[in-house]
Amino acid sequence: QQQVKQSPQSLIVQKGGISIINCAYENTAFDYFPWYQQFPGKGPALLIAIRPDVSEKKEGRFTISFNKSAKQFSLHIMDSQPGDSATYFCAASDEGSQGNLIFGKGTKLSVKP
Amino acid sequence: DSGVTQTPKHLITATGQRVTLRCSPRSGDLSVYWYQQSLDQGLQFLIQYYNGEERAKGNILERFSAQQFPDLHSELNLSSLELGDSALYFCASSKWSTGATTDTQYFGPGTRLTVL
């Protein structure tokens, strides 16, 4: 049973464009939603995270939008750059699970110059 | 650099064998998590230790086991290896074990296991 569904599987965006990755979850107990960025040959690195008491969080060019009623959240990358080309994973956890992360399947983003 | 170290970087072995993967958490972090990353299953949580004690288990096979030592480093033991165990194995560490937004998990560079 996949508890966090992520789409699209892959995404190609032109430099300067907006990249949008969506995730949906099932478990209403989830209360922490991080996004991780992974470059080839590297481990995932935390990009930005949100809790369900806010609907949006912005850090530089990266924004998380959160819709609690729809059980969906998304990552927006503004002014996408070739250096943003990586695989992005959404994840979710709840304190009752000791913080163990349930990951989406990942989105491979390619930003074309 | 996340501060989490994993050795070895690559491991090639045969079916039926046993291997040990090692992880050193970031300085000051008490929790260690193990994840398996494969093409078909994505990133899956295996097991978590906090200050030497097992805290949670995920989709970990009975052939796999782990432990966390007094110096907080952790080892993941994989035995009776099968072709399907070929994957990237990541260790992550965090300060506590709360799942709070301030308790970020930092991932190591991973160990790529190839079972032939």
Side-chain angles (χ1 to χ4, degrees):
Chain A
Q1 181 188 6
Q2 187 182 354
Q3 294 193 55
V4 179
K5 293 185 179 179
Q6 184 173 346
S7 63
Q9 195 171 358
S10 62
L11 183 60
I12 299 174
V13 173
Q14 289 297 123
K15 179 182 175 182
I18 302 174
S19 304
I20 302 174
I21 304 171
N22 301 299
C23 284
Y25 63 97
E26 299 164 5
N27 187 347
T28 55
F30 287 151
D31 58 5
Y32 173 58
F33 302 89
W35 284 88
Y36 278 79
Q37 179 190 55
Q38 185 179 26
F39 292 103
K42 304 289 186 182
L46 180 67
L47 191 62
I48 186 172
I50 198 169
R51 289 187 66 91
D53 51 350
V54 297
S55 60
E56 187 174 281
K57 182 174 181 180
K58 184 175 181 179
E59 289 184 3
R61 296 184 293 110
F62 301 92
T63 300
I64 299 179
S65 296
F66 187 84
N67 186 329
K68 188 174 181 178
S69 60
K71 293 188 285 185
Q72 294 176 348
F73 58 111
S74 60
L75 175 70
H76 291 63
I77 306 174
M78 311 300 287
D79 187 27
S80 298
Q81 300 297 313
D84 297 331
S85 297
T87 300
Y88 293 81
F89 293 92
C90 62
S93 72
D94 71 85
E95 286 192 84
S97 67
Q98 305 292 328
N100 310 313
L101 295 170
I102 307 298
F103 283 90
K105 294 265 186 177
T107 296
K108 186 173 183 179
L109 171 66
S110 295
V111 181
K112 299 300 183 184
Chain B
D1 183 4
S2 67
V4 178
T5 60
Q6 288 187 249
T7 57
K9 194 172 176 69
H10 300 280
L11 200 48
I12 301 175
T13 187
T15 55
Q17 295 298 305
R18 173 189 168 96
V19 297
T20 298
L21 283 52
R22 183 187 169 102
C23 166
S24 292
R26 292 189 333 146
S27 177
D29 284 359
L30 300 177
S31 255
V32 169
Y33 307 76
W34 286 97
Y35 292 86
Q36 180 192 58
Q37 185 175 37
S38 61
L39 282 173
D40 54 342
Q41 295 294 323
L43 263 166
Q44 289 204 307
F45 166 70
L46 296 178
I47 196 165
Q48 180 205 5
Y49 279 81
Y50 175 76
N51 204 20
E53 293 188 3
E54 181 184 305
R55 272 297 174 98
K57 265 185 173 179
N59 299 320
I60 188 166
L61 300 172
E62 284 191 12
R63 300 182 286 109
F64 296 0
S65 65
Q67 53 184 328
Q68 186 179 28
F69 295 87
D71 67 352
L72 301 177
H73 91 272
S74 177
E75 292 181 355
L76 179 67
N77 300 295
L78 314 176
S79 61
S80 302
L81 285 167
E82 302 175 359
L83 296 177
D85 297 328
S86 296
L88 268 168
Y89 291 84
F90 288 104
C91 165
S93 74
S94 68
K95 195 168 186 64
W96 305 114
S97 178
T98 64
T101 52
T102 53
D103 198 19
T104 300
Q105 287 186 35
Y106 294 89
F107 282 73
T111 293
R112 182 175 292 280
L113 173 66
T114 303
V115 182
L116 301 175

